[in-house]
Amino acid sequence: MADIVTILINGTVISSLYALVAIGFTMIFGVGGTINLAHGGIITVGAFSAYYVTNAGLGIWAGVLAAMAVPALFSVLLYKGFAERRDDIIIVMILTLLASIVVEEVVRIVEGSQPKAIPALVSGTTELLGSSVQNNLLVVFVVSWLLIGGLFAFVNYSKTGKAILATSMSPRGAALVGIESDRINLYTWAIAGLLAGIAGLFLGSYQTANWAMGREPLILSFSIVVLGGLGSIRGSLVAAYVIGFLEVITTSAIDPRLSGLAGLVVLVVVLLVRPEGLFGRELAEA
């Protein structure tokens, strides 16, 4: 029973983190048609921003702010430097991939290959269904869902959010009513960077931070957005829980060395059977 509870708890928490990563990834594709391969690198930027701030003695909550602000700024710089004026999505993919490699190599050279511990947001444990759960995991889950809920509210009820939604559905139609696509893309990249950065901090406090920590979430994000439907926030949310639980069940009940395999299998099956995914290509549906 305890093992099943542990799997349920770990699956629920890790799925919420995957949702943060995948939603940002799919928003950039939905609005600008760009596949941002630097998304994994942005996760690393978020984790190490928090690591440096907390090591400077400013506290973990200052680290939370750094994990949101620095990756959002980094993501905006990537958009301005690589994606704003380039129509060739292949070139943009290559440039963002190179950016991710540079981030990894810089972190590896500066910090080495040893994992770095990021302090937990809160300490202590809570007894839940007969299993002892770290309070940090509960806070990670709650904050993740607050961010996801806030994003849904922003997209569906704010003026800027509706402009993002309109641009994702019809860039030409949005331009005809005066919506500036460059400004909307800029906002989207900033939001995606913020979500990836905070996910990096959560992963670092849940596990550890290292130079290659963004690779697996990026690969899983591919599986999630393809399963959910490219450009669909709702689809990414549902798919994050499917992939997250498959990942936890595979690594917990079968073999930890199979990490990432479930996501790749799902990716291949979906591409062969239902390439449009579960929810097609819509950015947001409340």
Side-chain angles (χ1 to χ4, degrees), residues 33-102:
T34 301
I35 295 177
N36 177 22
L37 294 180
H39 212 56
I42 296 172
I43 292 172
T44 308
V45 170
F48 278 89
S49 297
Y51 172 74
Y52 286 127
V53 168
T54 53
N55 268 16
L58 299 177
I60 185 60
W61 292 103
V64 171
L65 294 177
M68 293 189 291
V70 176
L73 176 61
F74 181 67
S75 187
V76 165
L77 293 176
L78 287 178
Y79 171 70
K80 299 293 288 185
F82 293 164
E84 186 176 25
R85 301 298 176 192
R86 291 177 174 83
D87 296 327
D88 191 330
I89 61 172
I90 301 300
I91 296 296
V92 175
M93 284 176 59
I94 294 172
L95 288 173
T96 55
L97 175 62
L98 291 174
S100 188
I101 293 172
V102 169

Short mmCIF file of all heavy atoms in Angstrom, two decimals, residues 33-102:
data_model
loop_
_atom_site.label_atom_id
_atom_site.label_comp_id
_atom_site.label_asym_id
_atom_site.label_seq_id
_atom_site.Cartn_x
_atom_site.Cartn_y
_atom_site.Cartn_z
N GLY A 33 4.80 29.22 -33.82
CA GLY A 33 5.18 28.10 -34.68
C GLY A 33 6.63 27.69 -34.51
O GLY A 33 7.21 27.04 -35.38
N THR A 34 7.23 28.07 -33.38
CA THR A 34 8.65 27.79 -33.15
C THR A 34 8.82 26.64 -32.17
O THR A 34 8.15 26.61 -31.13
CB THR A 34 9.34 29.04 -32.56
OG1 THR A 34 9.18 30.12 -33.48
CG2 THR A 34 10.81 28.78 -32.32
N ILE A 35 9.71 25.71 -32.50
CA ILE A 35 10.08 24.65 -31.56
C ILE A 35 11.35 25.10 -30.86
O ILE A 35 12.42 25.15 -31.46
CB ILE A 35 10.29 23.32 -32.29
CG1 ILE A 35 8.95 22.85 -32.90
CG2 ILE A 35 10.82 22.25 -31.33
CD1 ILE A 35 9.06 21.58 -33.71
N ASN A 36 11.21 25.46 -29.59
CA ASN A 36 12.32 26.03 -28.83
C ASN A 36 13.13 24.93 -28.14
O ASN A 36 12.78 24.47 -27.05
CB ASN A 36 11.77 27.02 -27.79
CG ASN A 36 12.85 27.60 -26.91
OD1 ASN A 36 14.04 27.61 -27.29
ND2 ASN A 36 12.47 28.09 -25.75
N LEU A 37 14.23 24.54 -28.75
CA LEU A 37 15.06 23.48 -28.18
C LEU A 37 15.96 23.97 -27.05
O LEU A 37 16.69 23.18 -26.47
CB LEU A 37 15.92 22.85 -29.29
CG LEU A 37 15.12 22.11 -30.37
CD1 LEU A 37 16.06 21.52 -31.42
CD2 LEU A 37 14.26 21.01 -29.77
N ALA A 38 15.88 25.27 -26.74
CA ALA A 38 16.63 25.79 -25.58
C ALA A 38 15.80 25.66 -24.31
O ALA A 38 16.25 26.09 -23.24
CB ALA A 38 16.99 27.25 -25.81
N HIS A 39 14.61 25.09 -24.41
CA HIS A 39 13.72 25.01 -23.25
C HIS A 39 14.38 24.23 -22.10
O HIS A 39 14.22 24.60 -20.94
CB HIS A 39 12.41 24.35 -23.65
CG HIS A 39 11.23 24.85 -22.88
ND1 HIS A 39 10.87 26.18 -22.81
CD2 HIS A 39 10.33 24.18 -22.11
CE1 HIS A 39 9.81 26.31 -22.04
NE2 HIS A 39 9.46 25.12 -21.60
N GLY A 40 15.11 23.16 -22.43
CA GLY A 40 15.81 22.42 -21.39
C GLY A 40 16.91 23.25 -20.75
O GLY A 40 17.11 23.20 -19.53
N GLY A 41 17.61 24.03 -21.56
CA GLY A 41 18.65 24.91 -21.02
C GLY A 41 18.07 25.96 -20.09
O GLY A 41 18.69 26.34 -19.10
N ILE A 42 16.86 26.43 -20.40
CA ILE A 42 16.21 27.44 -19.55
C ILE A 42 15.87 26.83 -18.18
O ILE A 42 15.94 27.51 -17.16
CB ILE A 42 14.95 27.98 -20.25
CG1 ILE A 42 15.35 28.72 -21.53
CG2 ILE A 42 14.17 28.92 -19.33
CD1 ILE A 42 14.18 29.14 -22.40
N ILE A 43 15.50 25.56 -18.17
CA ILE A 43 15.28 24.87 -16.89
C ILE A 43 16.55 24.91 -16.05
O ILE A 43 16.51 25.19 -14.84
CB ILE A 43 14.86 23.41 -17.16
CG1 ILE A 43 13.47 23.37 -17.80
CG2 ILE A 43 14.88 22.58 -15.87
CD1 ILE A 43 13.06 22.00 -18.27
N THR A 44 17.69 24.64 -16.69
CA THR A 44 18.97 24.68 -15.99
C THR A 44 19.28 26.09 -15.49
O THR A 44 19.78 26.26 -14.36
CB THR A 44 20.09 24.20 -16.93
OG1 THR A 44 19.72 22.94 -17.50
CG2 THR A 44 21.41 24.05 -16.19
N VAL A 45 19.00 27.09 -16.31
CA VAL A 45 19.22 28.49 -15.89
C VAL A 45 18.40 28.80 -14.64
O VAL A 45 18.88 29.43 -13.69
CB VAL A 45 18.85 29.45 -17.04
CG1 VAL A 45 18.84 30.89 -16.54
CG2 VAL A 45 19.83 29.31 -18.19
N GLY A 46 17.15 28.34 -14.61
CA GLY A 46 16.30 28.58 -13.45
C GLY A 46 16.85 27.94 -12.19
O GLY A 46 16.91 28.57 -11.12
N ALA A 47 17.27 26.68 -12.31
CA ALA A 47 17.78 25.96 -11.14
C ALA A 47 19.05 26.62 -10.60
O ALA A 47 19.19 26.82 -9.39
CB ALA A 47 18.05 24.51 -11.52
N PHE A 48 19.97 26.96 -11.48
CA PHE A 48 21.24 27.52 -11.01
C PHE A 48 21.11 28.99 -10.59
O PHE A 48 21.91 29.47 -9.76
CB PHE A 48 22.34 27.32 -12.04
CG PHE A 48 22.94 25.93 -11.96
CD1 PHE A 48 22.40 24.89 -12.68
CD2 PHE A 48 24.01 25.68 -11.12
CE1 PHE A 48 22.91 23.60 -12.58
CE2 PHE A 48 24.54 24.39 -11.02
CZ PHE A 48 23.98 23.34 -11.75
N SER A 49 20.13 29.70 -11.11
CA SER A 49 19.86 31.05 -10.59
C SER A 49 19.46 30.95 -9.13
O SER A 49 19.95 31.72 -8.28
CB SER A 49 18.74 31.71 -11.41
OG SER A 49 19.12 31.88 -12.75
N ALA A 50 18.58 30.01 -8.82
CA ALA A 50 18.16 29.82 -7.42
C ALA A 50 19.34 29.33 -6.58
O ALA A 50 19.50 29.75 -5.42
CB ALA A 50 17.02 28.81 -7.37
N TYR A 51 20.16 28.46 -7.14
CA TYR A 51 21.31 27.91 -6.41
C TYR A 51 22.27 29.04 -6.00
O TYR A 51 22.71 29.11 -4.84
CB TYR A 51 22.02 26.90 -7.30
CG TYR A 51 23.33 26.39 -6.75
CD1 TYR A 51 23.37 25.49 -5.69
CD2 TYR A 51 24.54 26.82 -7.31
CE1 TYR A 51 24.59 25.02 -5.20
CE2 TYR A 51 25.75 26.36 -6.83
CZ TYR A 51 25.77 25.46 -5.78
OH TYR A 51 26.98 25.02 -5.28
N TYR A 52 22.58 29.94 -6.93
CA TYR A 52 23.51 31.02 -6.62
C TYR A 52 22.92 32.00 -5.61
O TYR A 52 23.62 32.47 -4.71
CB TYR A 52 23.90 31.76 -7.91
CG TYR A 52 24.86 30.98 -8.79
CD1 TYR A 52 24.57 30.75 -10.12
CD2 TYR A 52 26.04 30.47 -8.27
CE1 TYR A 52 25.44 30.02 -10.93
CE2 TYR A 52 26.91 29.75 -9.06
CZ TYR A 52 26.60 29.52 -10.40
OH TYR A 52 27.46 28.80 -11.18
N VAL A 53 21.65 32.31 -5.77
CA VAL A 53 21.01 33.27 -4.85
C VAL A 53 20.95 32.71 -3.44
O VAL A 53 21.25 33.41 -2.46
CB VAL A 53 19.60 33.64 -5.36
CG1 VAL A 53 18.82 34.39 -4.28
CG2 VAL A 53 19.72 34.49 -6.62
N THR A 54 20.57 31.45 -3.30
CA THR A 54 20.50 30.86 -1.96
C THR A 54 21.89 30.69 -1.35
O THR A 54 22.07 30.88 -0.15
CB THR A 54 19.79 29.49 -2.00
OG1 THR A 54 20.42 28.66 -2.98
CG2 THR A 54 18.33 29.65 -2.36
N ASN A 55 22.88 30.36 -2.17
CA ASN A 55 24.25 30.25 -1.66
C ASN A 55 24.82 31.60 -1.23
O ASN A 55 25.75 31.65 -0.42
CB ASN A 55 25.17 29.64 -2.74
CG ASN A 55 25.24 28.14 -2.60
OD1 ASN A 55 24.42 27.53 -1.92
ND2 ASN A 55 26.22 27.53 -3.23
N ALA A 56 24.26 32.68 -1.79
CA ALA A 56 24.69 34.01 -1.38
C ALA A 56 24.05 34.44 -0.07
O ALA A 56 24.29 35.55 0.41
CB ALA A 56 24.36 35.02 -2.49
N GLY A 57 23.22 33.57 0.48
CA GLY A 57 22.61 33.85 1.79
C GLY A 57 21.32 34.64 1.73
O GLY A 57 20.86 35.16 2.75
N LEU A 58 20.72 34.73 0.54
CA LEU A 58 19.51 35.55 0.41
C LEU A 58 18.23 34.76 0.69
O LEU A 58 17.14 35.33 0.68
CB LEU A 58 19.45 36.16 -1.00
CG LEU A 58 20.62 37.09 -1.36
CD1 LEU A 58 20.50 37.57 -2.79
CD2 LEU A 58 20.65 38.28 -0.40
N GLY A 59 18.34 33.46 0.90
CA GLY A 59 17.16 32.67 1.25
C GLY A 59 16.51 32.04 0.03
O GLY A 59 16.67 32.50 -1.10
N ILE A 60 15.75 30.99 0.29
CA ILE A 60 15.16 30.23 -0.81
C ILE A 60 14.06 31.00 -1.54
O ILE A 60 13.89 30.84 -2.74
CB ILE A 60 14.61 28.87 -0.28
CG1 ILE A 60 14.11 28.02 -1.46
CG2 ILE A 60 13.51 29.09 0.75
CD1 ILE A 60 15.15 27.70 -2.49
N TRP A 61 13.35 31.88 -0.79
CA TRP A 61 12.27 32.58 -1.49
C TRP A 61 12.82 33.66 -2.43
O TRP A 61 12.21 33.98 -3.46
CB TRP A 61 11.28 33.15 -0.50
CG TRP A 61 10.53 32.02 0.17
CD1 TRP A 61 10.73 31.53 1.42
CD2 TRP A 61 9.53 31.19 -0.44
NE1 TRP A 61 9.91 30.45 1.65
CE2 TRP A 61 9.16 30.22 0.54
CE3 TRP A 61 8.91 31.17 -1.68
CZ2 TRP A 61 8.20 29.24 0.28
CZ3 TRP A 61 7.94 30.20 -1.94
CH2 TRP A 61 7.61 29.26 -0.97
N ALA A 62 14.00 34.21 -2.09
CA ALA A 62 14.68 35.07 -3.06
C ALA A 62 15.14 34.23 -4.25
O ALA A 62 15.12 34.69 -5.40
CB ALA A 62 15.87 35.77 -2.41
N GLY A 63 15.50 32.98 -3.95
CA GLY A 63 15.86 32.05 -5.02
C GLY A 63 14.68 31.77 -5.95
O GLY A 63 14.85 31.62 -7.16
N VAL A 64 13.47 31.71 -5.38
CA VAL A 64 12.27 31.50 -6.19
C VAL A 64 12.09 32.66 -7.18
O VAL A 64 11.83 32.46 -8.37
CB VAL A 64 11.02 31.36 -5.29
CG1 VAL A 64 9.76 31.36 -6.15
CG2 VAL A 64 11.10 30.09 -4.47
N LEU A 65 12.26 33.88 -6.67
CA LEU A 65 12.13 35.05 -7.55
C LEU A 65 13.18 35.02 -8.65
O LEU A 65 12.90 35.32 -9.81
CB LEU A 65 12.25 36.33 -6.72
CG LEU A 65 11.13 36.60 -5.71
CD1 LEU A 65 11.42 37.86 -4.91
CD2 LEU A 65 9.78 36.70 -6.42
N ALA A 66 14.42 34.66 -8.27
CA ALA A 66 15.49 34.59 -9.27
C ALA A 66 15.20 33.52 -10.31
O ALA A 66 15.48 33.70 -11.51
CB ALA A 66 16.82 34.30 -8.59
N ALA A 67 14.62 32.39 -9.86
CA ALA A 67 14.32 31.28 -10.77
C ALA A 67 13.20 31.62 -11.74
O ALA A 67 13.02 30.93 -12.74
CB ALA A 67 13.95 30.03 -9.97
N MET A 68 12.44 32.65 -11.44
CA MET A 68 11.41 33.10 -12.39
C MET A 68 11.93 34.24 -13.26
O MET A 68 11.72 34.24 -14.48
CB MET A 68 10.15 33.54 -11.62
CG MET A 68 9.43 32.41 -10.92
SD MET A 68 7.81 32.89 -10.25
CE MET A 68 8.30 33.99 -8.93
N ALA A 69 12.63 35.20 -12.64
CA ALA A 69 13.02 36.41 -13.38
C ALA A 69 14.16 36.16 -14.37
O ALA A 69 14.08 36.59 -15.53
CB ALA A 69 13.42 37.50 -12.38
N VAL A 70 15.21 35.47 -13.93
CA VAL A 70 16.38 35.28 -14.81
C VAL A 70 16.03 34.43 -16.04
O VAL A 70 16.36 34.82 -17.17
CB VAL A 70 17.56 34.67 -14.01
CG1 VAL A 70 18.74 34.38 -14.93
CG2 VAL A 70 17.98 35.61 -12.89
N PRO A 71 15.35 33.28 -15.88
CA PRO A 71 14.99 32.51 -17.08
C PRO A 71 14.02 33.25 -18.00
O PRO A 71 14.11 33.10 -19.22
CB PRO A 71 14.33 31.25 -16.50
CG PRO A 71 14.87 31.15 -15.13
CD PRO A 71 15.02 32.56 -14.65
N ALA A 72 13.10 34.04 -17.42
CA ALA A 72 12.18 34.81 -18.26
C ALA A 72 12.98 35.81 -19.11
O ALA A 72 12.72 35.95 -20.32
CB ALA A 72 11.16 35.53 -17.39
N LEU A 73 13.96 36.48 -18.48
CA LEU A 73 14.80 37.43 -19.23
C LEU A 73 15.64 36.70 -20.27
O LEU A 73 15.76 37.16 -21.42
CB LEU A 73 15.71 38.19 -18.25
CG LEU A 73 16.72 39.15 -18.88
CD1 LEU A 73 15.99 40.25 -19.66
CD2 LEU A 73 17.61 39.78 -17.81
N PHE A 74 16.20 35.56 -19.89
CA PHE A 74 17.00 34.76 -20.83
C PHE A 74 16.15 34.33 -22.03
O PHE A 74 16.59 34.38 -23.18
CB PHE A 74 17.57 33.54 -20.10
CG PHE A 74 18.43 32.66 -20.95
CD1 PHE A 74 19.65 33.11 -21.43
CD2 PHE A 74 18.02 31.37 -21.28
CE1 PHE A 74 20.44 32.29 -22.22
CE2 PHE A 74 18.80 30.56 -22.08
CZ PHE A 74 20.02 31.01 -22.55
N SER A 75 14.92 33.92 -21.75
CA SER A 75 14.03 33.48 -22.82
C SER A 75 13.69 34.64 -23.76
O SER A 75 13.64 34.47 -24.98
CB SER A 75 12.75 32.90 -22.20
OG SER A 75 11.94 32.31 -23.19
N VAL A 76 13.47 35.82 -23.19
CA VAL A 76 13.19 37.00 -24.01
C VAL A 76 14.39 37.33 -24.91
O VAL A 76 14.23 37.65 -26.09
CB VAL A 76 12.86 38.21 -23.10
CG1 VAL A 76 12.93 39.52 -23.88
CG2 VAL A 76 11.48 38.04 -22.48
N LEU A 77 15.60 37.21 -24.35
CA LEU A 77 16.80 37.47 -25.15
C LEU A 77 16.93 36.46 -26.29
O LEU A 77 17.36 36.81 -27.40
CB LEU A 77 18.05 37.42 -24.25
CG LEU A 77 18.16 38.55 -23.22
CD1 LEU A 77 19.37 38.34 -22.32
CD2 LEU A 77 18.25 39.91 -23.91
N LEU A 78 16.57 35.21 -26.03
CA LEU A 78 16.59 34.20 -27.09
C LEU A 78 15.62 34.58 -28.20
O LEU A 78 15.94 34.45 -29.39
CB LEU A 78 16.22 32.83 -26.52
CG LEU A 78 17.25 32.13 -25.65
CD1 LEU A 78 16.69 30.81 -25.13
CD2 LEU A 78 18.53 31.87 -26.44
N TYR A 79 14.44 35.03 -27.80
CA TYR A 79 13.45 35.43 -28.82
C TYR A 79 13.97 36.61 -29.64
O TYR A 79 13.91 36.59 -30.87
CB TYR A 79 12.12 35.79 -28.16
CG TYR A 79 11.16 36.41 -29.13
CD1 TYR A 79 10.59 35.65 -30.14
CD2 TYR A 79 10.87 37.79 -29.09
CE1 TYR A 79 9.74 36.22 -31.08
CE2 TYR A 79 10.02 38.37 -30.01
CZ TYR A 79 9.45 37.58 -31.00
OH TYR A 79 8.63 38.15 -31.94
N LYS A 80 14.48 37.64 -28.93
CA LYS A 80 14.96 38.82 -29.65
C LYS A 80 16.17 38.49 -30.54
O LYS A 80 16.32 39.05 -31.63
CB LYS A 80 15.36 39.91 -28.64
CG LYS A 80 14.23 40.39 -27.75
CD LYS A 80 13.15 41.13 -28.52
CE LYS A 80 13.58 42.48 -28.98
NZ LYS A 80 12.48 43.24 -29.63
N GLY A 81 17.02 37.58 -30.07
CA GLY A 81 18.23 37.28 -30.82
C GLY A 81 18.05 36.25 -31.91
O GLY A 81 18.68 36.33 -32.98
N PHE A 82 17.19 35.25 -31.68
CA PHE A 82 17.12 34.11 -32.59
C PHE A 82 15.82 33.98 -33.38
O PHE A 82 15.81 33.43 -34.48
CB PHE A 82 17.33 32.81 -31.81
CG PHE A 82 18.71 32.66 -31.23
CD1 PHE A 82 18.97 31.73 -30.23
CD2 PHE A 82 19.76 33.45 -31.67
CE1 PHE A 82 20.24 31.58 -29.70
CE2 PHE A 82 21.03 33.32 -31.14
CZ PHE A 82 21.28 32.39 -30.15
N ALA A 83 14.72 34.40 -32.80
CA ALA A 83 13.42 34.05 -33.40
C ALA A 83 12.63 35.22 -33.95
O ALA A 83 11.76 35.02 -34.80
CB ALA A 83 12.56 33.33 -32.35
N GLU A 84 12.91 36.44 -33.51
CA GLU A 84 12.02 37.56 -33.84
C GLU A 84 11.92 37.83 -35.33
O GLU A 84 10.85 38.04 -35.86
CB GLU A 84 12.48 38.82 -33.11
CG GLU A 84 11.52 40.00 -33.29
CD GLU A 84 11.96 41.20 -32.48
OE1 GLU A 84 13.17 41.31 -32.18
OE2 GLU A 84 11.11 42.03 -32.13
N ARG A 85 13.05 37.83 -36.00
CA ARG A 85 13.04 38.24 -37.41
C ARG A 85 13.34 37.08 -38.36
O ARG A 85 13.65 37.31 -39.52
CB ARG A 85 14.07 39.36 -37.63
CG ARG A 85 13.84 40.60 -36.78
CD ARG A 85 12.51 41.26 -37.09
NE ARG A 85 12.25 42.40 -36.22
CZ ARG A 85 11.08 43.01 -36.13
NH1 ARG A 85 10.06 42.57 -36.84
NH2 ARG A 85 10.93 44.03 -35.33
N ARG A 86 13.27 35.86 -37.87
CA ARG A 86 13.61 34.72 -38.73
C ARG A 86 12.37 33.86 -38.98
O ARG A 86 11.71 33.41 -38.06
CB ARG A 86 14.72 33.87 -38.09
CG ARG A 86 16.06 34.59 -38.04
CD ARG A 86 17.12 33.75 -37.33
NE ARG A 86 18.43 34.40 -37.42
CZ ARG A 86 18.83 35.34 -36.60
NH1 ARG A 86 18.02 35.77 -35.63
NH2 ARG A 86 20.02 35.89 -36.73
N ASP A 87 12.07 33.65 -40.27
CA ASP A 87 10.90 32.87 -40.63
C ASP A 87 11.22 31.39 -40.78
O ASP A 87 10.32 30.56 -40.81
CB ASP A 87 10.30 33.40 -41.95
CG ASP A 87 9.79 34.83 -41.79
OD1 ASP A 87 9.31 35.15 -40.68
OD2 ASP A 87 9.88 35.60 -42.76
N ASP A 88 12.50 31.06 -40.94
CA ASP A 88 12.90 29.66 -41.14
C ASP A 88 12.94 28.95 -39.79
O ASP A 88 13.84 29.16 -38.97
CB ASP A 88 14.28 29.60 -41.81
CG ASP A 88 14.62 28.21 -42.29
OD1 ASP A 88 14.15 27.23 -41.65
OD2 ASP A 88 15.35 28.08 -43.29
N ILE A 89 11.95 28.08 -39.54
CA ILE A 89 11.86 27.44 -38.23
C ILE A 89 13.02 26.47 -37.99
O ILE A 89 13.38 26.21 -36.83
CB ILE A 89 10.52 26.70 -38.07
CG1 ILE A 89 10.36 25.61 -39.12
CG2 ILE A 89 9.36 27.67 -38.12
CD1 ILE A 89 9.15 24.73 -38.88
N ILE A 90 13.61 25.93 -39.07
CA ILE A 90 14.74 25.02 -38.90
C ILE A 90 15.95 25.78 -38.35
O ILE A 90 16.65 25.30 -37.44
CB ILE A 90 15.11 24.34 -40.25
CG1 ILE A 90 13.90 23.56 -40.80
CG2 ILE A 90 16.31 23.41 -40.05
CD1 ILE A 90 13.41 22.47 -39.88
N ILE A 91 16.19 26.97 -38.90
CA ILE A 91 17.30 27.79 -38.41
C ILE A 91 17.09 28.14 -36.94
O ILE A 91 18.02 28.08 -36.12
CB ILE A 91 17.43 29.09 -39.25
CG1 ILE A 91 17.79 28.74 -40.71
CG2 ILE A 91 18.49 30.02 -38.63
CD1 ILE A 91 19.14 28.08 -40.85
N VAL A 92 15.86 28.50 -36.59
CA VAL A 92 15.56 28.85 -35.19
C VAL A 92 15.77 27.63 -34.29
O VAL A 92 16.32 27.75 -33.18
CB VAL A 92 14.12 29.38 -35.06
CG1 VAL A 92 13.79 29.63 -33.59
CG2 VAL A 92 13.96 30.66 -35.86
N MET A 93 15.33 26.45 -34.74
CA MET A 93 15.54 25.24 -33.96
C MET A 93 17.02 24.99 -33.71
O MET A 93 17.44 24.68 -32.59
CB MET A 93 14.93 24.02 -34.69
CG MET A 93 13.43 23.92 -34.60
SD MET A 93 12.79 22.53 -35.59
CE MET A 93 13.64 21.15 -34.84
N ILE A 94 17.83 25.15 -34.76
CA ILE A 94 19.27 24.91 -34.62
C ILE A 94 19.89 25.92 -33.65
O ILE A 94 20.69 25.57 -32.78
CB ILE A 94 19.96 24.96 -35.99
CG1 ILE A 94 19.47 23.78 -36.86
CG2 ILE A 94 21.48 24.93 -35.85
CD1 ILE A 94 19.94 23.86 -38.30
N LEU A 95 19.49 27.19 -33.80
CA LEU A 95 20.05 28.23 -32.93
C LEU A 95 19.67 28.00 -31.46
O LEU A 95 20.50 28.17 -30.56
CB LEU A 95 19.55 29.61 -33.39
CG LEU A 95 20.14 30.13 -34.71
CD1 LEU A 95 19.44 31.40 -35.15
CD2 LEU A 95 21.64 30.38 -34.55
N THR A 96 18.41 27.62 -31.22
CA THR A 96 18.00 27.37 -29.84
C THR A 96 18.69 26.12 -29.28
O THR A 96 19.00 26.06 -28.09
CB THR A 96 16.48 27.23 -29.72
OG1 THR A 96 16.01 26.21 -30.62
CG2 THR A 96 15.79 28.55 -30.03
N LEU A 97 18.91 25.12 -30.14
CA LEU A 97 19.66 23.94 -29.70
C LEU A 97 21.08 24.33 -29.30
O LEU A 97 21.60 23.88 -28.26
CB LEU A 97 19.69 22.89 -30.81
CG LEU A 97 20.55 21.65 -30.53
CD1 LEU A 97 20.02 20.89 -29.32
CD2 LEU A 97 20.58 20.73 -31.77
N LEU A 98 21.72 25.17 -30.11
CA LEU A 98 23.07 25.63 -29.79
C LEU A 98 23.07 26.42 -28.49
O LEU A 98 24.00 26.29 -27.67
CB LEU A 98 23.61 26.49 -30.93
CG LEU A 98 23.93 25.74 -32.24
CD1 LEU A 98 24.32 26.73 -33.34
CD2 LEU A 98 25.05 24.73 -32.02
N ALA A 99 22.05 27.23 -28.28
CA ALA A 99 21.96 28.01 -27.03
C ALA A 99 21.88 27.08 -25.83
O ALA A 99 22.51 27.32 -24.79
CB ALA A 99 20.74 28.93 -27.07
N SER A 100 21.11 26.00 -25.96
CA SER A 100 20.98 25.04 -24.86
C SER A 100 22.32 24.36 -24.58
O SER A 100 22.70 24.17 -23.41
CB SER A 100 19.92 23.99 -25.22
OG SER A 100 19.64 23.18 -24.12
N ILE A 101 23.04 24.01 -25.65
CA ILE A 101 24.36 23.37 -25.47
C ILE A 101 25.33 24.32 -24.78
O ILE A 101 26.09 23.93 -23.90
CB ILE A 101 24.91 22.91 -26.85
CG1 ILE A 101 24.04 21.79 -27.42
CG2 ILE A 101 26.36 22.46 -26.71
CD1 ILE A 101 24.39 21.41 -28.85
N VAL A 102 25.29 25.59 -25.17
CA VAL A 102 26.17 26.59 -24.54
C VAL A 102 25.87 26.70 -23.05
O VAL A 102 26.79 26.74 -22.21
CB VAL A 102 26.01 27.96 -25.23
CG1 VAL A 102 26.69 29.06 -24.42
CG2 VAL A 102 26.57 27.92 -26.64
#
